[in-house]
Amino acid sequence: MFPLLAFLAFTPLLLVRADAARILIYSATRDFRHDSIPTAIDALKAKGSSISVSFDNTEDPTRFTDDVLKQYDAILFLDNTGEVLDDQGKAAFQRYLGLGGNFVGVHAASDCLRNTTWYGNEVGAFFDYHPALQNATINVLDNAHPSTNMLPAQWHVQEEIYNFKSDPRVIGATVVLSADETSYSDPGPRNYNQGTPHPTAWFQERGAGVQGSGTAGRSFYTSLGHLNETWKDDLFLAHVLGGITWTLQSNTTLAFNASANVGNPASSSSSSSVSSAATGTASSTSSSRGATLIPPGLMQAPVVIFSMLFIGLFHILP
């Protein structure tokens, strides 16, 4: 009886894909280029399986078309600077966001497409300037968010501390990390009001770059990530990966919602297989920002396991 029960227990797990969500990393630059970009891409790809994500990367702006973008559950802008998309690429990207696509921005992602208002809203705020690279203290404002719940209350980093041209809270963002301005030197001058406390990382439940009646996914941005060494630090990577997994839980893409308009199509079919066996409905997860992060399809696995065990015992036991 034991071999049969073991088979029944593990069968549903075979239906869960390791790469349930798919993310496109876009790292094109037109102005300053960070030499940490290759290190960052390698680090994200190496950690992808730990959060059930498959990462692709490109610097080709011609890939920003409806057909290409619709295959992804999120687009991650990594250290982009300058005008990295033409008008056609911007239009395709905005349509993608309006169909429920998610956005993640890291470090210099706030320093590109500077004259595109909706992009500034989607990332949360445009970069203004930063003082010299130096040691600084980052305060955790929300220790329940998946991007911060692993961090110490005062996080000591070596970093470029960004200043911004606006306060991301004005367009609805929630700031989760703040720079302690007494911990580093910044001679200025500051020409814009970025609000207080000093915003360093934030999230948007509904990305503000979506206009009209579009279905807005989530947006997450962190201004940290300048150095190669930073991308080799497990604590920093946990911060970024936590932001990514929270963003994917928008339930607006195929990684979690079989009726979504964009996302990895393969994840939808596999998640539906597990979910249908368990409940007869499509897979979904809680949209609460403090929710436990569970890979797509895995939430239903215990239900399937116990259901199949019960059936097996019913047929085997006298």
Side-chain angles (χ1 to χ4, degrees):
M1 181 175 71
F2 177 78
L4 176 59
L5 293 180
F7 172 77
L8 291 173
F10 285 102
T11 295
L13 295 179
L14 299 178
L15 299 175
V16 181
R17 292 176 59 91
D19 58 344
R22 193 177 179 198
I23 293 178
L24 179 64
I25 302 170
Y26 187 53
S27 55
T29 57
R30 295 295 177 265
D31 294 331
F32 179 83
R33 184 170 180 85
H34 286 76
D35 62 10
S36 60
I37 288 174
T39 305
I41 293 172
D42 289 345
L44 290 170
K45 288 188 172 183
K47 293 288 188 179
S49 62
S50 69
I51 57 169
S52 298
V53 168
S54 175
F55 287 104
D56 296 332
N57 66 285
T58 188
E59 297 199 351
D60 181 0
T62 66
R63 294 199 65 192
F64 273 67
T65 66
D66 295 339
D67 288 343
V68 171
L69 296 183
K70 73 179 181 182
Q71 303 173 51
Y72 293 96
D73 297 282
I75 307 299
L76 190 157
F77 271 46
L78 173 66
D79 283 339
N80 315 84
T81 56
E83 202 67 8
V84 293
L85 291 175
D86 62 16
D87 289 343
Q88 289 182 328
K90 291 178 193 177
F93 186 29
Q94 189 174 32
R95 287 193 295 271
Y96 165 82
L97 295 172
L99 291 171
N102 299 298
F103 174 79
V104 176
V106 178
H107 199 47
S110 58
D111 193 27
C112 71
L113 306 181
R114 304 175 190 116
N115 297 315
T116 305
T117 301
W118 65 262
Y119 176 79
N121 290 337
E122 184 67 23
V123 73
F126 282 122
F127 166 79
D128 183 18
Y129 77 96
H130 65 77
L133 178 71
Q134 59 191 296
N135 293 325
T137 299
I138 304 299
N139 292 323
V140 175
L141 303 181
D142 180 353
N143 62 7
H145 193 266
S147 68
T148 60
N149 60 19
M150 76 297 293
L151 300 177
Q154 283 78 44
W155 185 19
H156 304 294
V157 301
Q158 185 180 28
E159 189 57 78
E160 293 177 337
I161 302 300
Y162 277 15
N163 292 287
F164 299 94
K165 293 183 177 180
S166 63
D167 183 350
R169 287 160 284 225
V170 170
I171 51 91
T174 299
V175 176
V176 293
L177 293 181
S178 172
D180 179 352
E181 295 182 347
T182 67
S183 68
Y184 64 96
S185 174
D186 183 357
R190 296 188 186 178
N191 300 312
Y192 301 94
N193 177 17
Q194 62 184 349
T196 55
H198 186 137
T200 300
W202 55 78
F203 68 85
Q204 299 177 51
E205 188 71 44
R206 291 174 51 84
V210 175
Q211 300 174 342
S213 60
T215 300
R218 287 178 169 181
S219 171
F220 172 80
Y221 172 76
T222 179
S223 62
L224 307 178
H226 175 71
L227 294 170
N228 278 284
E229 290 76 13
T230 302
W231 285 97
K232 299 174 184 177
D233 180 76
D234 287 338
L235 194 58
F236 171 76
L237 285 171
H239 163 60
V240 174
L241 295 174
I244 290 171
T245 48
W246 173 85
T247 304
L248 290 170
Q249 284 192 313
S250 64
N251 292 326
T252 58
T253 66
L254 289 168
F256 289 87
N257 183 348
S259 62
N261 294 310
V262 295
N264 182 7
S267 68
S268 175
S269 59
S270 60
S271 295
S272 296
S273 298
V274 177
S275 181
S276 297
T279 65
T281 60
S283 172
S284 64
T285 60
S286 170
S287 62
S288 170
R289 65 184 178 89
T292 300
L293 300 176
I294 301 175
L298 197 55
M299 293 182 68
Q300 290 82 15
V303 178
V304 182
I305 291 172
F306 287 112
S307 298
M308 296 186 73
L309 282 173
F310 178 80
I311 294 171
L313 287 170
F314 179 80
H315 286 290
I316 293 171
L317 296 178

